[in-house]
Amino acid sequence: MPARIASVALLAAGLCGMTTPALAAGEPEAWTPTATALRAPAAGIVLPQTVGDLSLAKSGEASNGGRAIDNYAQYLSEDGEIQATLYVYMPTYADAALAAYMTDKAIMARFGSKTRRTAYASAPVGGQPGRAIRAVYDDAADGALTTAAGFVHAGRWIVKLRVTGPTARRAEVVAGLDAMLANLAVDDPATLHAATPVRFAQCPASDTAQASLAPAATGETAPPRDVGIPRDGQDSLCVRGTIATADGRFEMLQQAGRADGPIIVPMDDSGTLLALDPAQDGAGYRLSIHMVGQTDLYGTYDRAPNAAQVAAIIDGTDPQTAQAAAVAAYAANGDVTVRRASTTAVR
């Protein structure tokens, strides 16, 4: 499985140890500063260098160095007690509602059972209503901290905002998040997706039979199709089953009322996600694993794999999926390069 980025540990630590790698000639810039603002040029995302009482401290790439697809910028209050981080990253399955949901799970796991979610709803961003999800958490870390988060889906990009500080300064934490949402600018406002927290139902009982995987055909190098599930909370999902893995428990999700539709398994708060998409000829499900800037492509199962099989895929113990048949790598400009296993790249 791919290395996971933007985890709650990084969020909580504020990426304090990150440095900006040197760029080779021709590599894209993660950030372009101006006199007053910081811009992620590939994403067309801009935030002022000073937002409310927070000022830019540093910026760089969280992972995938030199590709400008996974970028962070850290903001601090004057005394450093309140820390904020702006993430602009390009998962190949971009969904603000799932990003909010998985971050919510990570925050609850990281900060303990006393943590209370006191806000979780759609919010405006850059003056546009309903284009962000806003969450506030009180009494985190045994009552010591307040943390707040915002999530935006703009084109191919996810924007995640996190602000954390002492509980005694809750008002400043919340004001910091709201100022960042209000001042976030997008080159093309039409790329902002309406977003609302995801809603879950319970799927009807699913088949528990074993599925068999047919490897991808030799020479198959088509870029992955978009997984056909409404995103950003625009429709209800249902829980098909719960997957118990070495890394924790994850939900198999499907669009409510679509027993024959795609199945997804979100695996972390950075967009790593397993997808089972109905094959184009209607026979079985194609397996792919999505992450920041990359999709691993496998073969086609004759039916939807059961929970135990999906757990083995995630844990890396399923011999059928030991190696992807092809890997699709996404550049910051949207170009896709597909590489077959042990072969040269094609476009």
Side-chain angles (χ1 to χ4, degrees):
M1 290 299 299
R4 298 176 185 168
I5 60 97
S7 68
V8 72
L10 290 178
L11 294 171
L15 296 161
C16 293
M18 291 288 181
T19 58
T20 304
L23 289 176
E27 289 182 338
E29 292 279 357
W31 300 101
T32 301
T34 69
T36 60
L38 186 67
R39 174 182 174 81
I45 303 292
V46 183
L47 194 69
Q49 293 200 30
T50 300
V51 187
D53 294 329
L54 301 170
S55 297
L56 179 66
K58 60 182 176 179
S59 61
E61 295 183 83
S63 68
N64 292 278
R67 293 177 61 192
I69 60 171
D70 181 23
N71 314 313
Y72 80 94
Q74 186 181 60
Y75 287 71
L76 299 173
S77 61
E78 187 173 0
D79 61 5
E81 289 294 307
I82 298 176
Q83 301 187 17
T85 309
L86 162 69
Y87 297 93
V88 180
Y89 59 103
M90 192 181 71
T92 58
Y93 187 99
D95 185 325
L98 286 182
Y101 172 68
M102 295 303 289
T103 301
D104 179 272
K105 290 181 66 173
I107 286 172
M108 292 298 189
R110 167 67 176 82
F111 289 118
S113 60
K114 291 184 180 180
T115 306
R116 296 181 299 116
R117 184 194 312 108
T118 54
Y120 196 65
S122 295
V125 62
Q128 293 205 53
R131 295 301 193 270
I133 295 174
R134 174 183 178 275
V136 178
Y137 301 85
D138 288 305
D139 295 329
D142 290 328
L145 300 175
T146 292
T147 190
F151 306 87
V152 178
H153 182 183
R156 295 174 289 110
W157 300 83
I158 292 292
V159 179
K160 183 186 298 190
L161 304 163
R162 277 287 308 276
V163 186
T164 301
T167 294
R169 298 172 66 174
R170 178 187 190 278
E172 295 173 70
V173 170
V174 175
L177 174 66
D178 291 342
M180 294 180 89
L181 286 170
N183 286 278
L184 187 75
V186 180
D187 285 355
D188 183 1
T191 63
L192 288 171
H193 294 240
T196 190
V198 68
R199 296 164 291 155
F200 293 118
Q202 192 66 38
C203 296
S206 56
D207 189 356
T208 59
Q210 290 274 331
S212 296
L213 179 68
T218 302
E220 183 178 354
T221 56
R225 292 179 294 141
D226 205 16
V227 181
I229 292 181
R231 303 190 192 181
D232 306 305
Q234 298 308 297
D235 200 357
S236 294
L237 302 180
C238 66
V239 180
R240 184 184 174 96
T242 300
I243 310 301
T245 76
D247 289 335
R249 300 175 70 85
F250 307 108
E251 291 87 7
M252 292 179 69
L253 303 175
Q254 201 163 24
Q255 187 179 0
R258 285 289 311 276
D260 59 345
I263 299 165
I264 56 174
V265 184
M267 294 174 349
D268 65 19
D269 61 335
S270 69
T272 306
L273 175 142
L274 181 150
L276 292 158
D277 208 28
Q280 287 181 310
D281 61 3
Y285 285 81
R286 295 190 65 177
L287 170 65
S288 57
I289 295 177
H290 301 254
M291 61 210 84
V292 172
Q294 180 176 312
T295 299
D296 290 351
L297 304 169
Y298 297 82
T300 301
Y301 283 93
D302 59 350
R303 63 173 70 225
N306 61 33
Q309 287 181 286
V310 173
I313 294 168
I314 293 173
D315 281 335
T317 59
D318 175 23
Q320 297 185 99
T321 56
Q323 182 178 11
V327 173
Y330 291 69
N333 65 3
D335 288 348
V336 184
T337 300
V338 181
R339 294 182 181 273
R340 294 189 296 268
S342 303
T343 65
T344 58
V346 298
R347 289 188 183 274

